[in-house]
Amino acid sequence: MPPLSILIKPASGLCNMRCRYCFYADVAEHREISSYGVMTRDTAEALIRRAFEFADGEAAFAFQGGEPTLAGADYYRFFIDTVNRFNEKKLPVHYAMQTNGYDVSDELCEILRENRFLVGVSLDGTGAVHDAARIDAAGEGTFRRVNETIAKFKKYGIDFNILSVVTEKTAKNTAEVYRYLRSRGYKFVQFIRHVDGFGDAEDPTEWSLTPKRYTNFLKTAFGYYYDDIMAGKYMSVREFDNYVMLAAGRPAECCGMNGVCPANLVVEADGGAYPCDFYVLDEWKLGSVRDASIRSLLESDTAKRFRARARKIDEKCRACRWYALCRGGCARYREPAGEDGLRLNKYCESYLEFFPWAAPKLMTLARMAAEGKIR
């Protein structure tokens, strides 16, 4: 049996914030049941039992939402105790959580620290950019509260990184956002492109990221990234780190950058299993961990259909000189699908301009990484 990594939504789409661009709120609106509430102990136990029946080598459990902290400290205490009970093979176990940082209790912080969670905190850069989109239920900006949570994580010694969503507004302020994150001393940053809602591709919102604006974002942010490395001030930016890996002939660690959807395992609060966080939709449900093994879920006809769908790469894409770096990209940016499969990546023209400009620098960084000169 292989190692196993599961993304869990313990509080389904429940959230104490109302981010204006939330992709999961859109996903929830496109299925019969929008929210499954908080995962019960019976479902958590079934999930964990199935996981250790399947896993070998190691097991990883990541919690996301919605907002996963809403499941409460007792949920995580029970989950970890149950993992320890079912982990008869004594496999290494890794925990992670992605939080909006709005309200993380001291009790939960103790659990995160004691069990060495790696926590991702959503912070969209400067206060002006962050508060424009990431608001609470009262419509107020959350920048101050998120920074208070980050200070709390530092106090408790919790390992964390930063996740920033790149919207049109972010991209208009790329330099300010990058410089702000760097000035705060963050060592690991992940920029995630805004995801249009299903049906929004032809009718974009104010947050939709245009290819032209994304090109400018890539060039500006990568320019800072490259200059910082050359000056011995490396800040990890996940997307750019992965391009360096690809330039070196290695596979990317981020599934969406390898061009093939592997059908991962995402488990909703009711135990329903899906192949990708972007596709927690009724049509892509693989089954439930309550009544099916992990192997049967991953080998289901729906999982096979999901993988096959992403393998259909447009011939124009395959013939492109930059295919080795682009790989066609994540399926979610190739929606909506037509009769012949997924379309060309929405940001194809961005890459056609970015890669010729960045390629020499990427090769330089690939050589430096091979020589252990990037730290």
Side-chain angles (χ1 to χ4, degrees), residues 289-354:
V289 295
R290 295 183 65 90
D291 50 36
S293 69
I294 300 297
R295 180 174 292 280
S296 66
L297 294 171
L298 293 176
E299 294 180 355
S300 66
D301 289 343
T302 302
K304 292 175 182 176
R305 180 165 58 93
F306 184 80
R307 287 189 287 264
R309 176 177 181 262
R311 292 194 188 102
K312 295 180 180 178
I313 304 293
D314 191 289
E315 288 305 312
K316 178 182 177 182
C317 188
R318 289 192 186 279
C320 177
R321 65 176 295 199
W322 305 111
Y323 180 73
L325 291 173
C326 172
R327 306 289 182 93
C330 172
R332 194 63 182 81
Y333 299 101
R334 292 159 57 197
E335 294 279 5
E339 292 182 3
D340 298 327
L342 294 164
R343 67 176 186 175
L344 279 173
N345 193 299
K346 174 182 177 179
Y347 299 105
C348 180
E349 64 183 78
S350 303
Y351 298 131
L352 286 173
E353 185 172 340
F354 172 67

Side-chain angles (χ1 to χ4, degrees), residues 66 72 201 206 253 269 290 346 375:
E206 64 178 300
E253 54 81 27
R290 295 183 65 90
K346 174 182 177 179
R375 291 183 177 85

Side-chain angles (χ1 to χ4, degrees), residues 18-325:
R18 299 293 184 269
C19 300
R20 301 183 192 276
Y21 53 62
C22 180
F23 86 88
Y24 205 67
D26 177 76
V27 168
E29 289 176 0
H30 283 82
R31 62 192 188 199
E32 186 174 343
I33 299 174
S34 60
S35 176
Y36 297 98
V38 176
M39 182 178 286
T40 66
R41 292 192 173 195
D42 285 347
T43 299
E45 183 169 313
L47 164 61
I48 295 164
R49 174 170 52 82
R50 298 285 188 187
F52 285 105
E53 287 172 353
F54 178 87
D56 197 11
E58 61 182 20
F61 301 99
F63 301 90
Q64 194 167 304
E67 175 48 39
T69 61
L70 294 179
D74 285 345
Y75 168 85
Y76 290 99
R77 194 174 288 111
F78 172 81
F79 193 100
I80 293 162
D81 288 345
T82 307
V83 165
N84 294 336
R85 178 157 54 91
F86 278 100
N87 186 12
E88 297 177 352
K89 291 179 280 188
K90 306 300 180 185
L91 303 180
V93 176
H94 308 284
Y95 295 108
M97 176 186 288
Q98 180 63 43
T99 177
N100 60 26
Y102 185 75
D103 186 15
V104 185
S105 68
D106 289 292
E107 184 181 11
L108 184 53
C109 282
E110 293 278 6
I111 294 170
L112 299 178
R113 179 182 64 186
E114 290 170 6
N115 295 279
R116 303 180 67 181
F117 273 66
L118 173 62
V119 181
V121 183
S122 294
L123 177 68
D124 282 359
T126 64
V129 172
H130 180 99
D131 282 346
R134 300 190 65 82
I135 58 175
D136 61 19
E140 299 296 325
T142 59
F143 181 76
R144 178 184 58 80
R145 292 192 65 144
V146 173
N147 276 286
E148 288 173 353
T149 295
I150 289 173
K152 184 182 287 189
F153 286 164
K154 290 179 178 179
K155 171 187 170 184
Y156 276 91
I158 295 168
D159 286 336
F160 70 91
N161 54 35
I162 300 296
L163 185 148
S164 296
V165 177
V166 182
T167 65
E168 187 78 354
K169 185 174 183 65
T170 310
K172 289 178 180 177
N173 297 275
T174 303
E176 292 82 0
V177 167
Y178 195 101
R179 288 198 300 260
Y180 172 78
L181 295 174
R182 184 181 59 189
S183 73
R184 300 285 292 177
Y186 300 133
K187 297 299 183 184
F188 298 92
V189 174
Q190 184 176 0
F191 289 113
I192 302 291
R193 279 163 292 164
H194 171 270
V195 179
D196 282 319
F198 290 99
D200 286 345
E202 307 305 326
D203 186 21
T205 71
E206 64 178 300
W207 308 103
S208 298
L209 182 63
T210 63
K212 180 178 180 180
R213 190 68 70 181
Y214 187 52
T215 303
N216 294 335
F217 170 84
L218 285 171
K219 285 187 172 183
T220 302
F222 183 78
Y224 278 113
Y225 169 85
Y226 179 81
D227 289 345
D228 284 349
I229 291 176
M230 300 308 288
K233 299 182 294 185
Y234 171 54
M235 180 176 79
S236 171
V237 177
R238 189 183 186 196
E239 184 170 13
F240 299 151
D241 288 349
N242 274 263
Y243 284 141
V244 174
M245 294 178 194
L246 291 166
R250 297 161 52 199
E253 54 81 27
C254 180
C255 66
M257 297 182 71
N258 282 317
V260 177
C261 294
N264 296 306
L265 198 62
V266 179
V267 179
E268 252 286 5
D270 69 333
Y274 304 82
C276 173
D277 191 32
F278 287 151
Y279 292 95
V280 186
L281 299 166
D282 296 337
E283 68 173 300
W284 294 113
K285 186 173 182 179
L286 309 178
S288 172
V289 295
R290 295 183 65 90
D291 50 36
S293 69
I294 300 297
R295 180 174 292 280
S296 66
L297 294 171
L298 293 176
E299 294 180 355
S300 66
D301 289 343
T302 302
K304 292 175 182 176
R305 180 165 58 93
F306 184 80
R307 287 189 287 264
R309 176 177 181 262
R311 292 194 188 102
K312 295 180 180 178
I313 304 293
D314 191 289
E315 288 305 312
K316 178 182 177 182
C317 188
R318 289 192 186 279
C320 177
R321 65 176 295 199
W322 305 111
Y323 180 73
L325 291 173

Side-chain angles (χ1 to χ4, degrees), residues 4-25:
L4 178 66
S5 179
I6 303 178
L7 177 63
I8 304 164
K9 294 183 171 291
S12 191
L14 300 176
C15 194
N16 45 15
M17 286 175 51
R18 299 293 184 269
C19 300
R20 301 183 192 276
Y21 53 62
C22 180
F23 86 88
Y24 205 67

